[in-house]
Amino acid sequence: MTAEEYLSQAYRLSNRINANQREADNLRRLATSLPSPALGDKVMTSRTAEAPFVGYINRLVDMERDINAKIDRLINLRDEIACVIDDVPDDDVRLVLHLRYLAGYTWESIARELAVSNSTVRRWHKRGLQLATIPADGSDEKFPKNERI
């Protein structure tokens, strides 16, 4: 895993959490909405006796458990990434890495914030990636880059 991939893990995981939370909100709406009454006589054949909202609630509970596990992982990962960034010896480089990977700034926002050119920001970033020492166990095995949401 490269330094950039390691430092980007928190951003990717945060995006997955946000997507899962949107899906959980959808399930919550489905579980709490009332179905419209069926008009006319219908013959029930292979229908279960369980109300539809029960399935939504069960899926919602599982999803919320998964989201909470990912949030715990995100908190730990952000702490790890902060330690890696704090070990970078150059103040300007460290600030660029912090703004990019922990604060989520764009390149342009970092340049504005630091009152330097975009090329200077990118040069400092490249230097930061060279100076950053990722932990030996810095692989993101629990949440691989291409994991489906």
Side-chain angles (χ1 to χ4, degrees):
M1 175 178 293
T2 67
E4 187 169 17
E5 289 170 338
Y6 176 79
L7 295 172
S8 297
Q9 291 180 96
Y11 175 78
R12 291 190 319 264
L13 182 54
S14 180
N15 285 343
R16 285 193 295 269
I17 291 169
N18 289 336
N20 285 72
Q21 287 176 328
R22 285 189 299 273
E23 190 176 335
D25 289 342
N26 239 4
L27 284 173
R28 198 172 287 108
R29 275 191 295 277
L30 287 170
T32 58
S33 66
L34 295 174
S36 60
L39 300 175
D41 295 330
K42 287 191 176 185
V43 176
M44 295 185 61
T45 55
S46 63
R47 188 167 179 194
T48 64
E50 189 175 88
F53 73 90
V54 173
Y56 296 138
I57 290 173
N58 289 335
R59 286 179 42 207
L60 179 60
V61 168
D62 291 341
M63 181 164 281
E64 286 178 341
R65 189 176 301 120
D66 182 56
I67 290 169
N68 288 335
K70 285 180 181 175
I71 289 171
D72 290 343
R73 172 69 180 133
L74 178 62
I75 292 167
N76 293 332
L77 187 57
R78 287 181 59 86
D79 289 343
E80 291 172 18
I81 291 170
C83 288
V84 168
I85 291 173
D86 288 344
D87 286 344
V88 172
D90 184 294
D91 290 338
D92 293 327
V93 169
R94 189 171 49 247
L95 186 54
V96 167
L97 293 177
H98 175 82
L99 292 173
R100 181 68 177 174
Y101 296 107
L102 293 176
Y105 281 36
T106 64
W107 298 117
E108 294 76 21
S109 299
I110 296 170
R112 268 194 312 275
E113 180 79 18
L114 302 180
V116 296
S117 69
N118 281 342
S119 61
T120 299
V121 168
R122 291 191 183 268
R123 188 177 74 248
W124 286 347
H125 176 259
K126 183 178 179 182
R127 179 80 178 127
L129 295 178
Q130 294 168 345
L131 294 171
T133 305
I134 62 171
D137 64 342
S139 65
D140 192 8
E141 293 173 12
K142 266 190 167 176
F143 304 103
K145 184 176 183 178
N146 60 357
E147 176 192 53
R148 294 193 57 173
I149 298 174

